[in-house]
Amino acid sequence: HGVFWCELELAVGEYYSGSCETYSGGSRAEGYGTLRGKYFEYDGEWSQGLWHGNGVLTFTNGEQYAGEFKNGKFHYMGKYLK
């Protein structure tokens, strides 16, 4: 076990690169990494394969949310930048 560098396709057209861990189902994001999709990019902290901790979510139109995420969702107050 332990944390290692990996690249994963998490969904069709969504690619993750960053630190990962091994678990019973294979590999998942853990620590810090970047997920790139067709309409967004998330750069930040991960836990057990979910956005968890501080991160920046950038949309293709240039808008950004910078702040805290918990279990893959927005958490508390962050900054929404246009």
Side-chain angles (χ1 to χ4, degrees):
H1 298 306
V3 177
F4 57 94
W5 178 263
C6 74
E7 293 183 345
L8 303 169
E9 184 174 15
L10 299 182
V12 175
E14 293 184 3
Y15 299 93
Y16 171 82
S17 60
S19 58
C20 291
E21 68 176 355
T22 302
Y23 75 110
S24 60
S27 296
R28 64 184 173 195
E30 179 70 28
Y32 190 90
T34 301
L35 177 66
R36 290 179 178 88
K38 185 174 182 179
Y39 301 107
F40 70 94
E41 177 178 300
Y42 171 78
D43 187 52
E45 298 174 314
W46 293 74
S47 180
Q48 299 180 1
L50 299 172
W51 305 353
H52 193 87
N54 290 312
V56 177
L57 181 61
T58 304
F59 298 94
T60 53
N61 65 3
E63 294 178 353
Q64 289 185 322
Y65 169 84
E68 190 174 347
F69 294 82
K70 184 173 182 180
N71 297 322
K73 299 178 182 174
F74 298 111
H75 187 65
Y76 290 116
M77 298 185 65
K79 293 184 180 181
Y80 189 75
L81 310 168
K82 291 184 179 183

